[in-house]
Amino acid sequence: MCDREGGYPGMLEKRKCKVVLVNQRSGEGDKPLKGGKMVNYTGTAIEVKL
C-alpha cells in the first residue's frame, strides 16, 4: 500500500484491511477467503509479505 495523497472532511485516518492473494481456490461461493494478513493502514506506505 502506498502513501496517502489528499483527503476530504470526515475521511478515516486509519483503516484495517485484510490483504489476500486471490486464485481459483480462494473463496468459493459464499465462503470467506482463507489466509491473508490483517494490516493497519495509517496513510504511510507499508509492504505486506504473504
Side-chain angles (χ1 to χ4, degrees), residues 12-24:
L12 294 174
E13 294 295 320
K14 299 177 184 176
R15 295 181 183 270
K16 192 177 278 191
C17 303
K18 184 174 184 179
V19 180
V20 295
L21 288 175
V22 178
N23 62 33
Q24 292 177 341

Side-chain angles (χ1 to χ4, degrees), residues 10-49:
M11 183 179 81
L12 294 174
E13 294 295 320
K14 299 177 184 176
R15 295 181 183 270
K16 192 177 278 191
C17 303
K18 184 174 184 179
V19 180
V20 295
L21 288 175
V22 178
N23 62 33
Q24 292 177 341
R25 294 185 181 185
S26 58
E28 297 175 354
D30 61 350
K31 296 177 184 174
L33 294 174
K34 295 180 181 178
K37 288 191 177 183
M38 291 297 295
V39 296
N40 293 311
Y41 180 64
T42 60
T44 57
I46 56 175
E47 185 175 314
V48 180
K49 295 189 185 232

